[in-house]
Amino acid sequence: MIFSTLGRYFFMRYISTTLWFFLGVTSLVYLVDFSETAGRLAGLPGYTVKIGLLMTAVRLPFILQQTVPFIALFVGMTVLITLNRRRELVIARAAGISVWQFMTPFIVGAFAVGLMTMFALNPVAAWGQRQAETMEADLRGDPSYRNTLSIPWLRQSDGKNDIIIGAKAVLDNGTTLMNVVFIHFDSQGNITLRQDAQSAKLEDGYWLLNGVVERAPGEIPVHKTTTQVRTNLKQDFVSERLAQPETIAFYDLSNRIAIAKSFGISTKALETQFHSLLSQPFLLVAMTLIAATVSLKFSRFNQSRSVILGGILSGFVLYVATVLVKAFGSSGVVPPFVATWIPVVVALAFGATILLHQEDG
């Protein structure tokens, strides 16, 4: 069906409608996110409208990636309802074409959009999110400002002394820390020194601290432009320990999972992100089947608008369930593979079952 004239026509209708939806959603998201960014960062020193526009632009792919399942749902409903009202699907069915045959181009289109999201949009989104975090951290680097972002703490030990490291922001996959604090302990667990720095960069065998204030018990604080703190932490370990899965491109996830396992770091969040991206094309197919279950029934049996609303609600419930179970997978409550694939498989089975019932009774 996909290679026939009618199949190509349906496929191109789906793709063109998808492009228009992407254009509309992109414009809306850009305006909303720019307004939110301006309201959140306008009071910071160094913020300008140009910086706000640039931050929104680089973060746009990351936000757009979250809307793709809903775009697939609304595109499917829009295309099928339009074809129904123009009696094109009626003519197709009169010609002996079953619902599965004329749905094939839409399923292939949804799967193709999912592949594009996985292989093209996700790497750009991961890169853009890292750039946006870097730009925001630079703006929030002013000492008078205190970010409330919670970052996991690190601990390094050489057998004699322990150092606890915390920061307000993490950049460069964990190798650069902003608004950082180093707390030194002796072998008895007593605090011997506290170092507050504007930034700390992990080099080969040491941390390079900039804008440092050192405080030792009973002594006057000492200000230093730069100082070094020896460390046995490796850059790969710190990167895996602090990197956010959402900022890692799909191409790099498998390698990062292998590296994290070699260090004994939990890979649940990385594996969940990997399987979530891998299941994206099938999730869009499920959204398309859900769209078909309500759009076709609306036209053939003259159902009310509540049926269309039910389709939107069903897609929303599927998306929420996917995000919720994904959180369970990242925390280790549910195996990552199960957490990401079970909702998609259930949705596919649900959509196919409803279509079978409508088609064959």
Side-chain angles (χ1 to χ4, degrees), residues 52-355:
L53 291 172
L54 182 59
M55 287 184 62
T56 300
V58 296
R59 189 166 46 227
L60 186 61
F62 180 80
I63 303 175
L64 192 62
Q65 183 181 232
Q66 316 304 316
T67 68
V68 170
F70 289 105
I71 291 178
L73 175 66
F74 286 109
V75 166
M77 295 177 65
T78 301
V79 174
L80 290 172
I81 290 175
T82 302
L83 292 176
N84 264 328
R85 290 180 175 176
R86 295 173 61 177
R87 300 295 186 269
E88 292 177 86
L89 292 186
V90 175
I91 296 172
R93 293 180 65 82
I97 299 175
S98 70
V99 65
W100 300 108
Q101 289 177 303
F102 67 69
M103 279 300 299
T104 301
F106 306 120
I107 293 174
V108 173
F111 196 84
V113 172
L115 291 178
M116 291 295 295
T117 302
M118 182 171 58
F119 290 115
L121 182 59
N122 173 258
V124 177
W127 174 85
Q129 183 68 3
R130 292 196 300 270
Q131 298 304 312
E133 290 177 352
T134 301
M135 296 172 67
E136 183 168 346
D138 291 339
L139 288 174
R140 296 183 182 278
D142 184 76
S144 63
Y145 186 84
R146 288 294 177 266
N147 196 349
T148 59
L149 183 61
S150 177
I151 297 297
W153 291 66
L154 288 173
R155 176 178 177 177
Q156 69 176 52
S157 175
D158 58 7
K160 297 181 180 179
N161 300 299
D162 290 343
I163 301 178
I164 303 297
I165 306 170
K168 293 294 185 180
V170 177
L171 307 176
D172 300 330
N173 289 327
T175 57
T176 300
L177 309 178
M178 303 297 295
N179 290 334
V180 64
V181 56
F182 283 65
I183 302 177
H184 299 250
F185 298 85
D186 59 19
S187 57
Q188 283 75 40
N190 300 314
I191 297 178
T192 59
L193 180 66
R194 171 174 173 148
Q195 295 173 304
D196 293 271
Q198 294 179 2
S199 66
K201 184 172 180 60
L202 181 61
E203 304 289 353
D204 188 13
Y206 65 92
W207 289 96
L208 179 61
L209 278 62
N210 297 300
V212 188
V213 178
E214 295 185 346
R215 298 179 177 86
E219 298 182 10
I220 299 176
V222 178
H223 295 261
K224 295 183 179 180
T225 303
T226 61
T227 189
Q228 296 181 5
V229 177
R230 294 181 58 185
T231 182
N232 54 5
L233 297 177
K234 301 299 182 181
Q235 291 189 357
D236 287 342
F237 174 82
V238 175
S239 296
E240 298 304 323
R241 178 68 178 83
L242 296 180
Q244 299 178 1
E246 293 79 10
T247 62
I248 302 175
F250 175 76
Y251 304 107
D252 298 330
L253 277 171
S254 296
N255 184 49
R256 299 296 288 271
I257 290 172
I259 294 175
K261 287 182 177 179
S262 68
F263 286 117
I265 301 173
S266 174
T267 60
K268 299 298 184 183
L270 293 174
E271 291 181 31
T272 301
Q273 177 69 4
F274 176 77
H275 286 291
S276 176
L277 292 173
L278 202 61
S279 65
Q280 184 86 154
F282 299 94
L283 176 62
L284 301 193
V285 171
M287 288 291 190
T288 303
L289 291 179
I290 291 175
T293 59
V294 297
S295 302
L296 298 180
K297 187 176 181 180
F298 172 79
S299 177
R300 293 176 61 192
F301 300 101
N302 195 28
Q303 296 292 332
S304 65
R305 294 180 181 179
S306 60
V307 177
I308 304 299
L309 182 60
I312 297 174
L313 182 61
S314 299
F316 179 76
V317 170
L318 172 60
Y319 180 78
V320 171
T322 302
V323 173
L324 183 62
V325 179
K326 181 180 176 181
F328 290 154
S330 299
S331 62
V333 176
V334 180
F337 181 84
V338 175
T340 53
W341 284 98
I342 287 298
V344 176
V345 172
V346 170
L348 286 171
F350 175 78
T353 301
I354 297 298
L355 283 180

